[in-house]
Amino acid sequence: MAGGTAGTLIGARTPRVEDARLLRGGGRFLDDIVVPGALEAVFFRSPVAHGLIRKIDVAAARALPDVRAVLTYDDLRPLLTSDRISLALPAAGIRFNVDPFVLARKEVCYAGEPIALIVATSRRVAEDAAGLIEIDIEPLPAVGDPVAGLDPGSPKARLDCPDNFVAKTGVDYGDIDHAFAAAAHVLRERFRLGKGGGFSIEPRGVVARYDPLEDRLTVWDSTQMPHRARAVLATCLGLSEQQTRVVAPDVGGGFGPKAVFHPEELAIPAAAMLLKQPVKWVEDRFESFTATVAERDQDWDMEAAFDAEGRLLGIRGRLCYDHGASTPYGIALPFNASTNMIGPYILPAFRVSIELCLTNKTPAAPTRGAGRPQGAYVMERLLDAMARKLGVPRDEIRRRNLIPADRMPYPIPVKQRDGSLMTYDSGDYPECQRRALAAAGWRDFPARQAAALREGRHIGLGLCNYVEGTGRGPFESASVRVNPSGQIVVTTGATAQGQGVHTMLAQIVGGELGVAPETILVQSGDTQTSPLGLGAFASRQAVTAGNAAKAAAVLVARKAKAAAAHLLEASPDDLELVDGAVRVRGVPGHRKTLTEIARSLAGAAGFSLPGGMAPGLAAASDFLTAGLTYTNGTHLAEVEVDHETGAVKILRYVVVHDCGTMINPMMVEGQIAGGVVHGIGMTLFEWMRYDEMAQPLTATFVDYLLPTSDVAPRIEIHHMESPTPLNPLGVKGAAESGVIGAPATIVSAIEDALAPFNVVIRDLPLTPAKLRALVRAGTKR
Amino acid sequence: MSDPREIALVVNDVRHARVVESRVNLADFLRHELGLFGTHVGCEHGVCGACTVLVDGASVRSCLMLAVQAGGKNVETIEGVAAADGASHPVQAALAKHHGLQCGYCTPGVVMTLIELGRENIGKPLGEAEIRHALSGNLCRCTGYQGIVDAGLDVFGAPADKGSET
Ligand code: FES
Ligand code: FES
């Protein structure tokens, strides 16, 4: 792609700068990192969900040839500054922080909890040794259900906590009692919503090397948040930030779990320091089911109050969340779920109490969507129930409740994490729904449905409106430097797991500097090149890093012009930056390339810099957010349901989407399509099951089903662009939006298809067996 | 357990002779013995397809085949797909054009699966359903498959389907 006049690349379907390498097998993922002399590690993990370690015998494992060490908690504790890994994110409402141990000390609280670390010359030998460890665990009663776990008589999920009620929070605004007293109608529904793991196709992994000569620790970590990992490592190991470098190499998908600091990320560096040799650990898929954080069940018991026309007056209820065995990432997820429940609708009063229960399952943390799909699902199910009760069409009940465009910006009396009020900044929600209905043929559908029914086919159409708060702060960093060689380097604290972060930044910077994006080198995920950063979560990087890179590039362009004004003896006002060179307007030959300018700003011994300017053609910028910016969308799905087998086929899927100004529509569409299919998985396929002892029953991709290409539909995507006033680019995030709308849309469509059987769907996931049971329970009209 | 054996095989037109433990699978052998890191490992139980390579022209999950079983055979991996002069294979070019990859972890397996599909159907245009069926053994968590399917249609579809939204 050619360069061009500055600022022209926003909105271009620029080919990705990442692809050439990745398409030829040239990616460098965690397991591709070869550190000379590295040992390989395997974890020995708890086989039970809850118990006390009576005795562990590692002698036979240690004696195996080529085994270098078998380490338990007591071996690693001397290297650590505290008993537990201090991870607590600040949170109001948390009753006690439950930070994990690097390896289990005495009590094991979930099947898969790491107990010992075997380090050997190869992974195969380490696995052989793991099989020789003998352990005696006294079983303790396990807590598997979050609702039952809050009963006063419940067993304790952890003996080191007073009870299982780990946190209480909630949302409360408006006069909820009045809303219910004045309502023409009230309805109550209960939902049990599962959501599985992130399941990036690349599992997690860590390589650590301690260099005694420089007293420095380098950790390669398949993380979304290397800066947080560095902070935790430095604190736990008693190192300074300067001694601790964390590098996220190519990361094969994140989706949330890789944002969480797991015990292995400390155990491996500690082992490398103890053994004075590099150590590598790569998770296997069984571990990604049992040891990697995932989302867990939400139990919603909700009541809606509405007037005779179907306008919402208030919603109240309780949300109980299964938090697993510890709190590695705060308690924001159910809060997100409840605030996102409000969605694009006018909700005058809202009270939800949120109760988080510890259970004996792998700790819970957000996966793509982070509670929002469940919140949107509950609201949309309530709206469909209201529509049924009043005999109002589903699109009409929504129309009566949608926030009109002329009320933007629209504040909601809910305080965010940063203390600000939740405020929708821009968008036209009714128009979004209108376009989606038109695109999917909503009006003609009843005729098509009736025709299909005459052939014995049950088809249905469903819809969902939703918003997503994106671009969470407080900041992200970026710098732009033109080296004297002419190479343009962008560094950022943002991190890449496939979103196209490098393309996005190269496109913004290339646009400002008039150079082709593929010539720009973007460095991300390295705490050494970017001392400050937050990383990938909450659909934030286009908003935060994108605007930081834009600001830095604008400063570089300005400095290039100022320097060129001296070199060309021209007024800065007469200069323009085109094709990577500053030239005098109307005199294209009279120019200085960015390379030439960078060279003169690099300085030469004893000579003065042009115009006495500061050296270097570079600038850095941190973008500070001014609150979340809200993406919105409407999804429609047409499905065909086989009422005898419970099979669901998605015939059509339409998305109308508004994430403000799009930097690269091709990549936005990629995010939406990937998110929708993730949401389809959550709705119909992905189900992490446990037995009553909290023992995982689904620990392979044979038992836990990810959506495949033959069940994923084609996703038709239409864009609206309502630029946000909250940042100079006008952009909003797009990475999680797809998953939010899918469950509610598909379930609404299935209910529509099965209307002759009076099927009402509440719980997720909806497997064929569960759907068959609902058909049997319904009565054929 | 170690039971080392000698094997000789051809990988991307280069002959290799090595001594390997008989329990080492082909994926680990390619990656850690030959340094061909483009073949990825996503599950080690034959479901995700990230490790797909071609052995004597047929797609194989290299996590499920032992290296010794590949002795005497001809193996093709992602590193050998582009032309000798560096030009991309049409499948590679189409995946970039249609945004058929995001993190790129599943991509080598996807490329090998599509190449096999093309070779089995020379001269026969393929429809979207056939391409989706062929790819159903390659898990991708990023793309929702849309860009991958569009790339397949672009290369192997009937002229009317190429690059269009069917
Ligand atoms: S790694 Fe071989 S199929 Fe997943
Ligand atoms: S591109 Fe990430 S798994 Fe396919």
Side-chain angles (χ1 to χ4, degrees):
Chain A
M1 161 159 306
T5 313
T8 52
L9 293 179
I10 302 296
R13 291 176 179 265
T14 304
R16 298 202 331 158
V17 302
E18 292 89 347
D19 288 355
R21 215 164 41 84
L22 295 171
L23 279 163
R24 287 158 184 256
R28 278 298 165 263
F29 296 91
L30 195 284
D31 191 34
D32 308 339
I33 290 168
V34 178
V35 178
L39 300 168
E40 297 192 319
V42 162
F43 286 89
F44 176 83
R45 298 178 180 279
S46 175
V48 298
H50 198 195
L52 285 174
I53 302 171
R54 281 200 200 108
K55 187 168 176 295
I56 176 162
D57 183 353
V58 301
R62 265 190 195 136
L64 197 72
D66 295 331
V67 170
R68 290 299 150 81
V70 180
L71 306 171
T72 61
Y73 177 82
D74 292 336
D75 299 308
L76 294 184
R77 177 63 185 87
L79 283 89
L80 308 177
T81 55
S82 59
D83 286 355
R84 294 173 186 254
I85 310 173
S86 45
L87 293 180
L89 291 180
I94 198 148
R95 295 181 63 234
F96 32 91
N97 274 309
V98 189
D99 284 335
F101 294 99
V102 61
L103 294 170
R105 192 169 51 169
K106 190 146 181 41
E107 183 184 4
V108 286
C109 298
Y110 58 96
E113 184 168 359
I115 294 175
L117 173 58
I118 303 107
V119 186
T121 52
S122 83
R123 177 168 167 175
R124 288 184 286 280
V125 172
E127 281 173 357
D128 293 343
L132 300 175
I133 291 179
E134 286 187 35
I135 192 152
D136 179 9
I137 297 181
E138 175 189 337
L140 292 172
V143 179
D145 183 88
V147 179
L150 292 177
D151 285 348
S154 166
K156 293 210 287 181
R158 304 189 66 108
L159 302 184
D160 54 0
C161 291
D163 54 54
N164 301 323
F165 191 8
V166 66
K168 181 174 174 58
T169 172
V171 180
D172 189 356
Y173 70 78
D175 188 343
I176 195 75
D177 295 332
H178 179 259
F180 276 82
H185 305 279
V186 171
L187 61 81
R188 181 169 182 180
E189 293 281 344
R190 183 142 183 198
F191 308 95
R192 180 75 175 230
L193 308 180
K195 181 168 189 271
F199 296 115
S200 54
I201 304 301
E202 181 205 29
R204 294 182 298 128
V206 184
V207 181
R209 179 176 66 189
Y210 177 69
D211 177 356
L213 201 62
E214 294 197 42
D215 192 17
R216 230 173 107 84
L217 176 70
T218 304
V219 179
W220 291 266
D221 186 355
S222 59
T223 177
Q224 296 169 225
M225 299 181 71
H227 292 84
R228 175 162 154 83
R230 179 183 60 174
V232 174
L233 282 170
T235 304
C236 291
L237 293 167
L239 301 171
S240 71
E241 288 85 357
Q242 287 308 109
Q243 284 174 289
T244 316
R245 177 184 181 193
V246 177
V247 185
D250 283 330
V251 176
F255 313 117
K258 288 178 181 171
V260 173
F261 191 92
H262 288 75
E264 296 90 347
E265 292 168 83
L266 176 59
I268 297 299
M273 292 178 76
L274 189 69
L275 302 174
K276 302 190 168 41
Q277 225 177 317
V279 179
K280 178 188 219 177
W281 166 73
V282 176
E283 180 184 70
D284 71 19
R285 190 51 70 181
F286 181 75
E287 291 176 298
S288 81
F289 279 94
T290 54
T292 297
V293 297
E295 281 193 29
R296 313 232 161 266
D297 278 12
Q298 300 184 0
D299 187 284
W300 296 69
D301 187 352
M302 303 302 286
E303 273 183 299
F306 47 104
D307 69 14
E309 275 76 52
R311 282 185 197 86
L312 279 165
L313 302 173
I315 290 179
R316 68 184 174 197
R318 181 187 90 144
L319 161 57
C320 175
Y321 186 50
D322 177 345
H323 214 270
S326 69
T327 57
Y329 200 77
I331 57 167
L333 188 138
F335 185 77
N336 270 350
S338 60
T339 55
N340 205 75
M341 180 184 162
I342 302 162
Y345 302 110
I346 296 171
L347 180 61
F350 188 34
R351 178 185 293 165
V352 57
S353 75
I354 302 172
E355 299 173 1
L356 289 87
C357 180
L358 290 175
T359 62
N360 293 107
K361 296 182 192 157
T362 315
T367 63
R368 193 177 202 174
R372 300 177 185 90
Q374 296 94 322
Y377 179 86
V378 169
M379 177 59 108
E380 298 289 314
R381 299 285 73 232
L382 291 173
L383 288 167
D384 279 0
M386 288 161 55
R388 249 192 323 267
K389 183 155 188 165
L390 297 178
V392 172
R394 288 170 294 162
D395 58 326
E396 177 58 24
I397 198 97
R398 287 167 171 79
R399 213 171 282 126
R400 290 179 190 175
N401 287 284
L402 282 167
I403 299 164
D406 60 12
R407 290 185 63 182
M408 290 291 166
Y410 185 83
I412 295 169
V414 173
K415 268 220 176 121
Q416 305 273 35
R417 250 190 261 173
D418 65 3
S420 66
L421 275 196
M422 177 170 164
T423 303
Y424 299 158
D425 47 290
S426 57
D428 187 340
Y429 306 154
E431 174 62 11
C432 188
Q433 172 172 304
R434 190 194 66 74
R435 289 193 195 185
L437 295 175
W442 180 269
R443 193 170 307 153
D444 311 330
F445 186 72
R448 282 196 285 136
Q449 189 176 33
L453 198 55
R454 282 192 294 276
E455 296 167 11
R457 294 168 51 231
H458 295 278
I459 64 171
L461 192 57
L463 81 166
C464 165
N465 297 302
Y466 63 95
V467 301
E468 182 201 356
T470 72
R472 199 181 288 286
F475 79 96
E476 196 50 87
S477 65
S479 80
V480 176
R481 171 175 298 276
V482 185
N483 280 325
S485 65
Q487 185 179 44
I488 299 174
V489 181
V490 177
T491 67
T492 178
T495 61
Q497 300 84 36
Q499 308 90 325
V501 169
H502 290 203
T503 301
M504 181 265 290
L505 296 176
Q507 200 171 331
I508 292 167
V509 172
E512 292 299 332
L513 300 182
V515 302
E518 67 268 21
T519 63
I520 295 174
L521 175 70
V522 182
Q523 295 183 317
S524 67
D526 185 343
T527 60
Q528 184 156 293
T529 52
S530 293
L532 276 179
L534 287 171
F537 56 95
S539 303
R540 62 187 298 276
Q541 301 194 120
V543 174
T544 56
N547 280 290
K550 179 183 163 76
V554 166
L555 291 173
V556 166
R558 202 175 291 158
K559 186 165 185 182
K561 282 188 194 166
H566 287 279
L567 298 168
L568 295 169
E569 293 176 356
S571 154
D573 295 342
D574 295 337
L575 298 177
E576 58 183 0
L577 180 47
V578 179
D579 286 336
V582 180
R583 67 186 192 192
V584 179
R585 249 187 220 103
V587 197
H590 200 36
R591 66 203 281 271
K592 286 280 172 196
T593 63
L594 288 173
T595 308
E596 291 166 330
I597 298 166
R599 268 192 208 133
S600 42
L601 283 171
F607 293 89
S608 56
L609 290 161
M613 301 176 80
L617 185 50
S621 173
D622 298 307
F623 180 76
L624 305 179
T625 56
L628 296 179
T629 173
Y630 283 82
T631 290
N632 70 283
T634 303
H635 291 195
L636 271 96
E638 186 176 325
V639 303
E640 178 169 347
V641 186
D642 182 329
H643 67 283
E644 282 170 353
T645 64
V648 175
K649 189 167 166 42
I650 301 171
L651 304 172
R652 232 188 127 186
Y653 203 103
V654 174
V655 176
V656 179
H657 193 261
D658 189 343
C659 57
T661 305
M662 289 186 285
I663 298 165
N664 185 328
M666 175 185 84
M667 298 201 306
V668 169
E669 287 160 12
Q671 290 300 310
I672 296 169
V676 167
V677 172
H678 197 144
I680 291 170
M682 164 188 175
T683 311
L684 298 175
F685 303 106
E686 298 182 41
W687 191 14
M688 187 73 200
R689 274 166 288 170
Y690 293 83
D691 71 9
E692 61 286 354
M693 302 295 293
Q695 185 66 232
L697 300 177
T698 46
T700 69
F701 282 149
V702 183
D703 309 301
Y704 181 101
L705 304 178
L706 294 188
T708 50
S709 56
D710 54 346
V711 299
R714 175 163 291 280
I715 320 285
E716 305 168 32
I717 300 167
H718 307 265
H719 299 290
M720 293 172 66
E721 288 190 88
S722 310
T724 177
L726 298 181
N727 66 65
L729 285 168
V731 299
K732 309 174 182 183
E736 294 170 281
S737 167
V739 72
I740 298 173
T745 305
I746 294 163
V747 165
S748 183
I750 295 171
E751 270 188 3
D752 185 40
L754 295 179
F757 301 95
N758 290 324
V759 164
V760 178
I761 297 163
R762 297 183 176 87
D763 302 344
L764 292 178
L766 185 62
T767 58
K770 291 201 228 169
L771 194 50
R772 274 202 317 272
L774 290 173
V775 171
R776 276 197 301 273
T779 43
K780 186 148 181 152
R781 268 179 219 150
Chain B
M1 197 91 68
S2 46
D3 184 21
R5 302 220 191 166
E6 219 174 298
I7 58 165
L9 73 175
V10 173
V11 181
N12 301 331
D13 296 330
V14 178
R15 191 171 175 282
H16 298 272
R18 287 281 194 291
V19 176
V20 292
E21 274 183 61
S22 53
R23 64 173 167 172
V24 171
N25 69 36
L26 179 59
D28 284 349
F29 175 79
L30 292 168
R31 294 175 49 77
H32 298 296
E33 282 292 321
L34 302 186
L36 295 172
F37 290 111
T39 297
H40 295 156
V41 173
C43 71
E44 293 176 290
H45 54 252
V47 180
C48 76
C51 66
T52 304
V53 299
L54 304 183
V55 176
D56 286 348
S59 64
V60 159
R61 315 231 141 184
S62 60
C63 70
L64 293 186
M65 179 183 252
L66 296 171
V68 293
Q69 292 176 290
K73 299 203 190 304
N74 182 37
V75 178
E76 295 168 77
T77 74
I78 187 70
E79 287 89 351
V81 166
D85 66 358
S88 291
H89 187 281
V91 165
Q92 291 171 313
L95 283 166
K97 176 175 159 201
H98 294 279
H99 194 22
L101 66 155
Q102 290 182 24
C103 77
Y105 200 77
C106 69
T107 307
V110 165
V111 170
M112 302 318 288
T113 299
L114 285 173
I115 286 176
E116 181 190 41
L117 181 69
R119 286 185 193 163
E120 284 175 347
N121 293 282
I122 293 169
K124 172 177 174 274
L126 299 174
E128 177 162 349
E130 289 165 292
I131 290 170
R132 285 188 180 272
H133 179 72
L135 286 165
S136 64
N138 291 84
L139 295 178
C140 175
R141 191 55 149 174
C142 297
T143 63
Y145 304 102
Q146 188 133 317
I148 301 175
V149 171
D150 286 343
L153 280 172
D154 195 344
V155 182
F156 306 122
D161 289 341
K162 291 196 185 221
S164 73
E165 302 234 323
T166 44

